[in-house]
């Protein structure tokens, strides 16, 4: 098979971790007889440095011509990096938001899994996490506060800022369907998170989600307020299967969910549109403080590449092979510093990539 | 001293827990020679049942005539209670939102404290919470998404919902000042939480907070994105002293923060305006599932009454007496069911009130 993959190395640890994911993909290609064509795409700070903007029209077109995009991470230190002296629409993150919108990547999937081998790093007590947990956040990614109109202006001499939060029934329906589809392949439960006791957008959200639920009689639907959800994630993460929510709530809850696993360096994510196309990236950030040191954990990016093979190319066997290799490497006791614990073997970014590639 | 206190018993466990707080207040009045005049105010479901609306103009006027208001909790089971068949503006929570606005209660203080005696109930591992933590959330309570214009209407045949998020510099400045004032009496650190990489309101927030900070050279100011904050609360709550944030982010983060203490039944809160007036309530909800059983934990409400004595009446000695009594009762091993653990004495709501009153 011919795979045309766009590669956004991005900023901070991005280039290091993406290099390892490509190493693993190359091994998969060799072993299973595929042909990969990579297209390097500049985005974020890396694009600002070259083009003065975080994403060019050419890069958008180039990304659209690919079958899928693998991304590292975007952004730098907001206090010290010169990128953050630019106006908001020119900063690194604006590139990420624009590509989500341009490619219509409305469905963001972020799994939060407690790996048995890494329980030690989980901040929650063992009585709460016993038996592990495995939840999937389905976050709407191209609507809501992120893409509403905004402005800052003087009103009667007082500086005033406005943001707006809009959702229409079609936007809600398509993401809800995705959540129920995924739930059907999992434990058949959807928890839809909103703030329906305050927001009109949440009340419409709830109504449309209930309509969609009728087409999935086997799936249990539950509604939960966002404030309660932030509590329940800490109190009893095992109660969740698929969490369906809008863009801003999803941003907050998916980060909370990844932190309660204790090993964010292990968590992949996918941003999908209506077709097979997707952008795949690790859940963690660009970690500028450790960039260039060769110590970042590449596993989340490698698992994102596995997600890409599965979702965008239907290469399940190949994705399984990557995931099995990651499991074996952990079992063999190899750890990057972020997941290191007593008695294990600490290795760097490149060596972790080597070990995972070697098993494939 | 004459204290004129409005009392909103509210819904669910509200009446039970407020009764115990009044028991303790009465003992304080007797012991320290004060005279308390209570005004019972109907709000939420309790008001709907009598007046058909969650808050009447008369009740607002009555509340304004008091020196302070003590509240239980508002709202019922959203799936089964008939209150939730009403249109949104007639539901119990609408009363709470309206009273916050009418009384201009813009500053919501929610402490999250890990009580040494109750560490066992904390969901976080001991290595994270060792030595305890004590943070204060300062949440803006009368602006943002909660009070913006909203509507739901067809746009080109598609049902569309709009909410809006507005802050002006004055609203931000007054809440920021409160946060810095409180920080001066604590560990002199303010973490201002926003989403400045996306929202205009957050960028204005950050700018105004930085201006206010100049008047408090002793206080360390740090900015943190809301998604990162949701992670850091779980990863390392000890890093925080005062968390300053807008209404919706504060709703989410303060619930998360109270849950990581493991004993939400212990957490008081205050909602203040520019004067000494305040509304005091427990952080937990109305818990309709256990209402009327005499098992709810009244301590958060009793500690809210202590906060009231301190903030609204400057009765520090009396507030200290309540807090000391709560500490003693815990030390003596008395527990309601929500904070029960092996070897302790489980008691009900009324008995807990009796024990705390007895020590004063
Ligand atoms: C970088 C930022 C704009 C982005 C977001 O808020 O969506 C990030 O936090 C994420 O979750 O992918
Ligand atoms: C009941 C609800 C409207 C309220 C809020 O969201 O402010 C509650 O969650 C709170 O935090 O006091």
């Amino acid at each position: 098979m011919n795979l045309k993959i766009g590669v956004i190395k991005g900023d901070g640890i991005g280039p290091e971790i993406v290099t390892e994911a490509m190493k693993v993909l190359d091994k998969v290609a060799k072993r299973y007889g595929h042909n990969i064509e990579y297209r390097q795409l500049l985005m974020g700070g890396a694009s600002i440095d070259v083009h003065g903007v975080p994403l060019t029209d050419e890069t958008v077109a180039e990304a659209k011509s690919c079958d899928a995009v693998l991304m590292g991470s975007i952004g730098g230190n907001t206090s010290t990096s010169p990128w953050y002296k630019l106006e908001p629409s020119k900063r690194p993150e604006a590139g990420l938001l624009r590509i989500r919108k341009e490619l219509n990547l409305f469905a963001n999937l972020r799994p939060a899994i407690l790996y048995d081998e890494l329980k030690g790093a989980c901040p929650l007590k063992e009585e709460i996490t016993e038996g592990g947990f495995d939840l999937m956040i389905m976050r709407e990614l191209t609507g809501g506060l992120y893409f509403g109109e905004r402005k800052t202006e003087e009103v009667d001499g007082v500086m005033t800022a406005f943001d707006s939060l809009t959702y229409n029934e079609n936007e809600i329906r398509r993401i809800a369907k995705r959540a129920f589809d995924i739930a059907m392949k999992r434990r058949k439960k959807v928890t839809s998170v909103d703030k329906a006791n305050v927001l009109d957008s949440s009340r419409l959200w709830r109504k449309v989600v209930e309509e969609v639920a009728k087409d999935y009689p086997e799936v249990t639907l539950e509604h939960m307020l966002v404030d309660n959800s932030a509590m329940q994630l800490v109190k009893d993460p095992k109660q969740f299967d698929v969490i369906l929510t809008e863009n801003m709530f999803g941003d907050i809850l998916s980060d909370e969910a990844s932190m309660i696993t204790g090993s964010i360096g292990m968590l992949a994510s996918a941003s999908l549109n209506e077709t097979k196309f997707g952008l795949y990236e690790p859940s963690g950030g660009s970690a500028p403080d450790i960039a260039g040191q060769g110590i970042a954990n590449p596993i989340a990016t490698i698992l994102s590449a596995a997600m890409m093979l599965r979702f965008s190319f239907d290469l399940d066997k190949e994705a399984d092979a990557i995931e099995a290799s990651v499991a074996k490497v952990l079992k063999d006791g190899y750890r990057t510093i972020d997941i290191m614990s007593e008695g294990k073997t600490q290795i760097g970014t490149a060596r972790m990539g080597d070990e995972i590639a070697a098993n494939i």
Side-chain angles (χ1 to χ4, degrees), chain A:
Chain A
M1 188 170 176
N2 269 320
L3 324 181
K4 186 170 168 189
I5 302 176
V7 175
I8 301 173
K9 292 193 170 176
D11 309 319
I13 57 171
E16 294 160 71
I17 56 184
V18 169
T19 299
E20 299 316 306
M22 289 170 70
K23 190 186 279 176
V24 173
L25 282 172
D26 287 340
K27 183 71 187 289
V28 166
K30 201 169 149 196
R31 170 89 172 63
Y32 292 86
H34 301 299
N35 179 40
I36 306 184
E37 179 189 346
Y38 294 110
R39 289 294 166 98
Q40 298 293 336
L41 308 172
L42 285 183
M43 201 171 88
S47 173
I48 297 174
D49 291 345
V50 175
H51 301 295
V53 291
L55 184 66
T56 64
D57 294 345
E58 291 71 35
T59 304
V60 172
E62 188 78 4
K64 283 185 183 167
S65 82
C66 296
D67 302 315
V69 173
L70 182 67
M71 192 183 112
S73 52
I74 295 295
N77 184 315
T78 54
S79 318
T80 57
S81 160
W83 300 329
Y84 296 90
K85 301 250 146 56
L86 300 169
E87 57 171 285
S89 67
K90 297 267 167 68
R91 293 179 195 167
E93 288 78 2
L96 181 57
L97 298 184
R98 183 172 165 214
I99 207 163
R100 287 177 182 167
K101 196 72 176 180
E102 293 269 6
L103 301 178
N104 195 25
L105 304 172
F106 66 87
N108 181 219
L109 276 72
R110 285 179 64 175
I113 302 167
L114 183 67
Y115 285 86
D116 204 52
E117 300 275 350
L118 302 176
K119 288 201 296 250
C122 174
L124 301 178
K125 283 188 179 151
E126 269 186 47
E127 64 218 60
I128 294 177
T129 58
E130 222 189 310
F133 59 86
D134 172 357
L135 62 93
M136 175 69 88
I137 308 230
M138 177 67 80
R139 166 186 174 194
E140 202 292 329
L141 202 61
T142 53
L145 280 170
Y146 278 74
F147 295 96
E149 279 172 37
R150 58 182 112 258
K151 63 179 178 206
T152 304
E153 64 185 24
E154 274 194 23
V155 177
D156 302 330
V158 180
M159 199 53 84
T160 308
F162 304 84
D163 294 283
S164 51
L165 195 184
T166 306
Y167 271 105
N168 71 38
E169 52 175 327
N170 297 338
E171 292 171 306
I172 301 168
R173 194 170 295 115
R174 66 180 179 177
I175 186 79
K177 278 190 182 154
R178 281 291 174 100
F180 282 91
D181 284 338
I182 291 261
M184 282 296 289
K185 296 189 193 159
R186 297 173 46 102
R187 298 191 307 281
K188 298 197 171 57
K189 179 172 172 193
V190 169
T191 304
S192 174
V193 172
D194 62 37
K195 187 74 188 174
N197 53 353
V198 175
L199 303 177
D200 262 28
S201 52
S202 285
R203 288 187 275 264
L204 182 61
W205 183 276
R206 210 173 256 221
K207 191 164 154 273
V208 175
V209 170
E210 273 172 11
E211 282 165 22
V212 171
K214 292 198 186 113
D215 294 334
Y216 299 84
E218 287 174 61
V219 177
T220 307
L221 168 65
E222 161 187 89
H223 300 284
M224 196 179 275
L225 294 172
V226 62
D227 43 341
N228 188 28
S229 308
M231 297 207 272
Q232 296 301 324
L233 271 175
V234 177
K235 191 182 178 196
D236 179 19
K238 282 189 265 186
Q239 74 185 283
F240 296 110
D241 177 17
V242 176
I243 294 180
L244 161 65
T245 192
E246 63 93 51
N247 207 344
M248 186 63 81
F249 296 158
D251 181 45
I252 299 170
L253 295 181
S254 65
D255 268 11
E256 182 182 347
S258 45
M259 185 52 79
I260 59 169
T261 67
S263 36
I264 194 168
M266 301 288 300
L267 301 175
S269 87
S271 304
L272 309 174
N273 66 17
E274 310 263 13
T275 72
K276 286 266 156 196
F277 185 92
L279 182 149
Y280 301 84
E281 55 170 318
S283 282
S286 63
D289 49 318
I290 59 159
Q293 296 178 30
I295 59 171
N297 186 349
I299 297 181
T301 318
I302 291 168
L303 291 173
S304 299
M307 260 182 133
M308 175 177 74
L309 295 179
R310 201 183 295 284
F311 281 115
S312 288
F313 299 105
D314 289 316
L315 296 174
D316 286 323
K317 218 170 27 173
E318 288 81 344
D320 289 346
I322 295 178
E323 287 164 6
S325 174
V326 168
K328 177 163 189 321
V329 165
L330 289 177
K331 204 150 169 272
D332 290 347
Y334 294 111
R335 301 282 188 274
T336 43
I337 189 168
D338 56 306
I339 52 174
M340 184 60 191
S341 64
E342 227 185 290
K344 304 300 175 187
T345 312
Q346 189 174 319
I347 60 177
T349 311
R351 174 82 188 278
M352 184 58 95
D354 290 342
E355 293 295 338
I356 295 171
N359 291 324
I360 286 168

